Amino acid sequence: MMKRLNPIFMLTVLLLTACTGAKPAQNGPLRAVTLNLTYIPNVQFAPFYAAIENGYFADAGLDVTLNYGNEADLIALVGSGKQQFMIASGEQVLMARAQGLPVVTVYNWYKEFPVGIVSLAEKNITSPMDLKGKTIGLPGLYGANYIGFEAFAQNEGLRDSDYTLQSIGYTQVESLVSGIVDAAVIYLSNEPSQLRAMGYQINTLRVADSIDLIGNGLVTNESTIKEDPELVRAVLGALLKGIQFSAENPDETYLICTKYVDNLAEADEAVQKQVLAESIKLWDVYPTNEDHTRRWENMQSVLLKLGLMSQAVDLKGVYDGSFLP
């Protein structure tokens, strides 16, 4: 026979729950939301995996699906209102707005631009001027790698004739080791960790040490901000919890990543943990609504000089920090 609980006991439990601040379960169905991430699953997207696994999105009433794809394609979808959220770099936001797409960054996830130029120590490339006469590999003449390098070169007084750019796809490590290129443009959190793990001594020139540019951030569109601000606040709040958990608990976060990143369990754990550690260094983990205008101005200036934008856009529309807690 099933025992009946004493009503007084049940009331006591409820009172204790209220006093200890325990959070009740989410009521009602969760709202389906797609978060668009660029490229492929990677430990650099660890906060999203942590926020899903730890229930931060669910606590905010959200049922999140992660989608990966080409950054330019995804920002067109967000700008047209067919999607609502994505991670995008600052140059993509500016170029999209220049084309009339009303995208808005609501959180500058990366506190500094994550691109650099890496070379083997034997090449003796320790300053920008050492790049003169060198062949520099990069994925292609597009994206954050290309724009970051061009901004670096412009700011350091290098001319196009001083070096040779070579499109090598995402083979920076192999191209350096085999001597195809003298230096390679990379994400600071990725290839340097791989090269060190392989036993190579390297030199790295950081774009952020030369010029302050806007990096990756959480992006939505003007209509979502206007019509559904609580959704923006919920997504950002849950993501920030994931970012802070990942920064404070990297080992536990890495285990979570193995569930979301294909073949991570078979990868070199020490290298991938180092990639995560270097990524965390780039994040603005506890953001405040500071003024990022100068960083946006610098990025826009670079894009105009490169001819990737024909005219300047009003920078008041590119960033809205009011959703930060």
Side-chain angles (χ1 to χ4, degrees):
M1 179 181 294
M2 182 179 294
K3 294 183 178 180
R4 295 181 180 274
L5 293 178
N6 187 312
I8 296 177
F9 171 78
M10 293 179 67
L11 178 60
T12 301
V13 170
L14 291 173
L15 289 172
L16 285 172
T17 299
C19 291
T20 58
K23 187 174 182 178
Q26 174 70 32
N27 294 323
L30 300 179
R31 179 173 180 178
V33 175
T34 298
L35 299 183
N36 295 281
L37 309 179
T38 53
Y39 305 114
I40 59 176
N42 189 285
V43 293
Q44 295 169 72
F45 293 127
F48 292 88
Y49 311 141
I52 293 173
E53 195 72 12
N54 292 341
Y56 302 147
F57 286 121
D59 288 346
L62 306 173
D63 179 13
V64 164
T65 298
L66 300 180
N67 178 55
Y68 302 87
N70 178 276
E71 189 174 16
D73 294 337
L74 293 176
I75 205 162
L77 291 174
V78 174
S80 65
K82 295 178 181 178
Q83 291 287 337
Q84 292 174 295
F85 298 98
M86 72 175 294
I87 292 297
S89 51
E91 78 276 0
Q92 291 291 334
V93 172
L94 285 168
M95 290 189 293
R97 288 192 70 90
Q99 296 170 8
L101 296 172
V103 291
V104 183
T105 297
V106 292
Y107 163 48
N108 290 318
W109 179 15
Y110 280 36
K111 61 187 176 184
E112 61 183 41
F113 202 68
V115 170
I117 302 98
V118 69
S119 59
L120 301 184
E122 63 192 45
K123 295 291 184 179
N124 295 316
I125 301 174
T126 59
S127 72
M129 288 300 119
D130 293 332
L131 293 170
K132 285 188 174 183
K134 300 297 192 294
T135 298
I136 304 166
L138 74 175
L141 303 183
Y142 58 85
N145 283 297
Y146 170 61
I147 291 166
F149 175 77
E150 289 290 350
F152 175 87
Q154 290 176 13
N155 204 56
E156 295 297 333
L158 290 166
R159 297 174 298 178
D160 291 347
S161 59
D162 288 333
Y163 50 81
T164 300
L165 287 183
Q166 184 170 328
S167 296
I168 56 173
Y170 293 95
T171 64
Q172 292 101 319
V173 170
E174 296 86 346
S175 296
L176 281 171
V177 171
S178 63
I180 294 175
V181 297
D182 300 306
V185 186
I186 45 79
Y187 260 55
L188 295 169
S189 58
N190 198 353
E191 288 83 1
S193 297
Q194 296 181 41
L195 287 163
R196 291 190 189 98
M198 295 167 67
Y200 290 98
Q201 293 185 339
I202 61 174
N203 291 317
T204 304
L205 303 173
R206 293 158 28 101
V207 171
D209 289 337
S210 176
I211 183 171
D212 198 13
L213 302 172
I214 286 290
N216 300 339
L218 179 65
V219 174
T220 185
N221 52 53
E222 291 179 1
S223 61
T224 301
I225 288 175
K226 180 180 179 180
E227 298 167 10
D228 210 342
E230 289 308 311
L231 175 62
V232 179
R233 189 165 286 108
V235 169
L236 177 54
L239 174 58
L240 283 174
K241 288 182 179 179
I243 288 170
Q244 290 158 8
F245 175 88
S246 300
E248 295 167 3
N249 306 277
D251 289 337
E252 188 175 345
T253 299
Y254 184 81
L255 290 176
I256 292 173
C257 288
T258 61
K259 300 180 181 181
Y260 292 85
V261 180
D262 293 341
N263 302 318
L264 183 59
E266 290 77 43
D268 188 321
E269 182 174 316
V271 173
Q272 292 303 313
K273 281 188 173 181
Q274 188 60 35
V275 170
L276 177 59
E278 293 298 321
S279 297
I280 291 171
K281 293 178 183 178
L282 296 169
W283 302 342
D284 191 359
V285 178
Y286 300 99
T288 57
N289 191 11
E290 60 183 290
D291 186 1
H292 297 278
T293 303
R294 184 59 179 164
R295 299 172 69 195
W296 286 105
E297 287 175 345
N298 288 342
M299 180 62 82
Q300 177 157 262
S301 177
V302 171
L303 296 175
L304 290 169
K305 288 179 181 177
L306 290 174
L308 296 174
M309 291 173 57
S310 59
Q311 60 182 12
V313 299
D314 184 357
L315 294 179
K316 293 180 180 178
V318 302
Y319 178 71
D320 183 348
S322 66
F323 294 96
L324 291 171

